[in-house]
Amino acid sequence: MSSNEVLPRRFNMARYCLGPAEGRPAGKPALIVYDDLQASAPAEVWTYGEIFEAVSRIGGSLLAAGLQRGDRILIRMDNCSDYALLFFAAAGAGLVPIAASSQLTAHEVAFFLEDSGSKAIARSARLAVGRVPADVLSFDRTAIAEMRRSGPLADFADTASDDPAFLIYTSGTSAHPKGVLHAHRAAWGRRPMYRGWYALESDDVMLHAGAFNWTYTLGTGLTDPWANGATAVVYTGEKDVRVWPTLIKRAQATIFATVPTLYRQILKYCDVAPDDLGRLRHGLTAGEALPPAIAAEWQRRTGRPLYEAFGMSELSTYISSSPSTPPKPGSPGRPQAGRNIAILPVEGGTTPLALGEVGVVAAHRSDPGLMLGYWNRPQEEAEMFRGDWFLTGDQGSLDEDGYVWLAGRSDDMMNAMGYRVSPVEVEAVLAAHPDVQEAAAVEVKVAEDVSIVTAVVVWRDGGGNADALIAHAREHLAAYKVPREIVAIDKLPHTPNGKMRRADLRKRLNERVAKGEALRALD
């Protein structure tokens, strides 16, 4: 696809990805699902023609059930192909799907339903949802399967490129996640990745290690391969690290996408050599920083490079390395061609800084991949813009070759297995426990390439039970948000105006780990 094409005024992301086109013959495999590598064949093989019909029927069924243009539908489902089909069907019908993680607790799901004003929920029986309002339509897996088999065929909605297409919730600076509303143009805005990260062609086979409910999978694993007429492969079985080298070869994957942690685990637990990975050209990595040692070891043992990308829910990935942008160890790469990225002074102003100077990374509001805004949070949305620049919250600098060198975030956001986690959200849950007087959550680096969410707590009346607090957190937080360690302290550090100094705690805990000391209590 030419990078010089202009975004159409009328644009629907499902039509863009799945509509009949010369590069997407109806009989070509679009999606291959594996769930058991002991089986002689994949669990599911969907051609472009079959997916187009299934998505059209599900979309028609949702409209026939009474949902109207712009209505939100929360997807609370297991990792199954119907999740992906429902997501694209809803967007194609002009509805607004909300891709939710299967790891969410019932409390979090209830918040999503209320905050988004969802008119419907699609759910798997085993996943708790809590109380669903009486006026919210509920579709189970059986109903969705029936929709795709025999629902009324409906054409994709005639949406504008700026019409809402999907909503995702991400950790923010408050006690609850915030909704990031994306337009249909978000799919078009991913085009710089095709060459600037993937080097994607129509004969590629993209294997993504993530679940369907992760926007990394929905974007890199499905949206972009389908827009280019490639084949997407996803695994839905039991997650054993030893699955991946076997699946890469069996699926004849040419590109493999996951997080750095999984590459580290494959290197640690699997015997991998160049001949073990079949047609694989290279690997993609995003979600957390790629340690240079992992990239070097992967290249040495497999003979394939890893290409890193950096981004955020509000914009997706916009900085990356690729076959045409050779990696520099320690840098995620360069702004992709067509992106308008600048390094602005932290203290204010819109004049980009000189090369080498550290400031806040900003993206121009004209980027078609940029969100429409935060759901029902106009004030927080306004704070993210400085003139025509969207402030990402990440700090960094540019070198003479145009590579970005990151220098941390302007806030205290944590990263857990590629997921952004708000310390405020974790702290609010911990503080609700009767034994906790005050709590802080920070990210602690426990190994060269492993960081964990750690809670520092002031116990009420001087005593508490760490295991009980973790159990409490598991009831209210998705698994990846739950602290892995509880550290006791007599008093948390604060600034003179009362703001918690998480950076001080993070520094002290990281120094303790570096000395080989246990994470138990801070003086």
Side-chain angles (χ1 to χ4, degrees):
M1 296 183 179
S2 172
S3 59
N4 297 322
E5 293 181 68
V6 177
L7 170 65
R9 188 176 65 86
R10 310 301 298 180
F11 182 81
N12 182 286
M13 66 173 291
R15 186 192 306 277
Y16 172 69
C17 295
L18 296 170
E22 182 178 346
R24 287 189 290 267
K28 181 178 182 178
L31 175 64
I32 300 175
V33 180
Y34 287 86
D35 66 359
D36 181 3
L37 292 192
Q38 302 305 314
S40 60
E44 302 172 55
V45 178
W46 293 81
T47 66
Y48 274 101
E50 290 168 339
I51 285 190
F52 176 75
E53 179 176 342
V55 165
S56 298
R57 290 190 184 280
I58 294 173
S61 299
L62 295 174
L63 296 176
L67 295 177
Q68 300 180 7
R69 178 83 66 91
D71 283 347
R72 276 77 61 204
I73 175 171
L74 179 65
I75 307 179
R76 171 64 166 164
M77 294 171 62
D78 289 304
N79 189 32
C80 60
S81 57
D82 278 339
Y83 193 116
L85 298 178
L86 181 65
F87 179 87
F88 282 90
L95 307 173
V96 180
I98 304 170
S101 170
S102 60
Q103 298 184 57
L104 297 178
T105 65
H107 296 275
E108 292 169 308
V109 173
F111 169 77
F112 281 22
L113 282 172
E114 180 179 0
D115 186 72
S116 67
S118 290
K119 300 296 185 182
I121 180 172
R123 54 185 296 188
S124 295
R126 76 167 191 89
L127 298 178
V129 298
R131 189 185 68 84
V132 177
D135 60 346
V136 172
L137 299 174
S138 181
F139 306 107
D140 61 17
R141 291 280 306 280
T142 300
I144 294 163
E146 182 62 26
M147 287 179 184
R148 63 174 162 78
R149 284 194 295 265
S150 58
L153 286 169
D155 194 8
F156 293 126
D158 180 24
T159 49
S161 60
D162 274 334
D163 283 345
F166 61 95
L167 184 64
I168 52 178
Y169 276 84
T170 183
S171 292
T173 55
S174 66
H176 293 291
K178 58 187 175 185
V180 177
L181 184 63
H182 275 287
H184 283 271
R185 57 174 164 76
W188 183 277
R190 302 181 61 87
R191 291 161 70 94
M193 302 179 210
Y194 300 169
R195 297 290 172 266
W197 185 20
Y198 312 143
L200 184 63
E201 303 292 345
S202 61
D203 59 354
D204 271 317
V205 177
M206 172 77 81
L207 169 61
H208 201 295
F212 287 111
N213 58 41
W214 195 8
T215 51
Y216 182 15
T217 310
L218 289 170
T220 297
L222 296 178
T223 300
D224 300 335
W226 288 349
N228 286 272
T231 299
V233 179
V234 175
Y235 175 71
T236 61
E238 293 297 320
K239 294 300 175 70
D240 182 330
V241 64
R242 289 163 292 190
V243 162
W244 300 109
T246 302
L247 186 53
I248 288 170
K249 188 169 186 177
R250 179 175 297 186
Q252 301 185 58
T254 56
I255 305 175
F256 177 54
T258 187
V259 294
T261 297
L262 185 55
Y263 285 111
R264 176 182 60 80
Q265 292 173 341
I266 292 172
L267 291 171
K268 182 176 181 178
Y269 297 108
C270 305
D271 292 326
V272 286
D275 291 344
D276 297 329
L277 301 182
R279 299 176 57 219
L280 188 73
R281 292 202 315 276
H282 52 254
L284 307 175
T285 175
E288 54 188 354
L290 173 65
I294 297 299
E297 181 69 3
W298 182 267
Q299 175 77 55
R300 185 185 71 80
R301 288 177 54 184
T302 72
R304 275 85 164 179
L306 295 181
Y307 297 120
E308 184 178 5
F310 177 79
M312 60 192 307
S313 300
E314 292 85 343
L315 183 59
S316 197
T317 62
Y318 58 96
I319 295 168
S320 56
S321 58
S322 71
S324 59
T325 301
K328 279 190 178 184
S331 167
R334 290 192 292 224
Q336 295 157 358
R339 305 285 193 186
N340 191 352
I341 305 298
I343 308 295
L344 302 182
V346 174
E347 63 274 10
T350 56
T351 301
L353 295 173
L355 296 180
E357 292 190 42
V358 175
V360 61
V361 182
H364 200 269
R365 68 164 71 239
S366 61
D367 193 310
L370 187 61
M371 66 174 183
L372 284 170
Y374 292 127
W375 182 258
N376 290 337
R377 296 196 186 185
Q379 181 58 41
E380 192 166 350
E381 180 182 324
E383 292 171 354
M384 297 295 290
F385 283 91
R386 187 186 297 169
D388 285 332
W389 293 98
F390 173 76
L391 306 178
T392 66
D394 295 292
Q395 294 190 22
S397 62
L398 285 169
D399 68 14
E400 63 277 5
D401 297 321
Y403 283 75
V404 175
W405 297 87
L406 298 172
R409 285 194 57 80
S410 302
D411 54 30
D412 294 311
M413 293 296 295
M414 302 177 291
N415 189 304
M417 291 289 292
Y419 292 95
R420 289 178 70 199
V421 179
S422 166
V424 180
E425 182 183 0
V426 176
E427 290 160 4
V429 169
L430 298 176
H433 191 280
D435 291 340
V436 174
Q437 179 176 314
E438 192 177 14
V442 295
E443 179 182 337
V444 177
K445 189 174 184 179
V446 295
E448 181 183 358
D449 54 351
V450 179
S451 294
I452 62 173
V453 175
T454 302
V456 182
V457 302
V458 178
W459 294 114
R460 195 177 303 279
D461 299 325
N465 185 293
D467 290 338
L469 183 57
I470 290 177
H472 166 79
R474 286 180 178 141
E475 292 178 4
H476 297 84
L477 294 168
Y480 61 87
K481 302 177 187 177
V482 175
R484 298 300 188 263
E485 291 282 352
I486 304 292
V487 179
I489 193 172
D490 291 334
K491 182 180 179 180
L492 290 174
H494 292 83
T495 63
N497 63 6
K499 184 177 180 181
M500 193 181 300
R501 288 157 48 186
R502 297 188 187 90
D504 289 0
L505 294 171
R506 186 165 54 244
K507 180 174 183 290
R508 292 168 65 186
L509 289 169
N510 279 313
E511 287 175 347
R512 174 164 288 188
V513 170
K515 294 177 181 177
E517 299 176 0
L519 288 175
R520 291 180 182 171
L522 282 173
D523 299 327

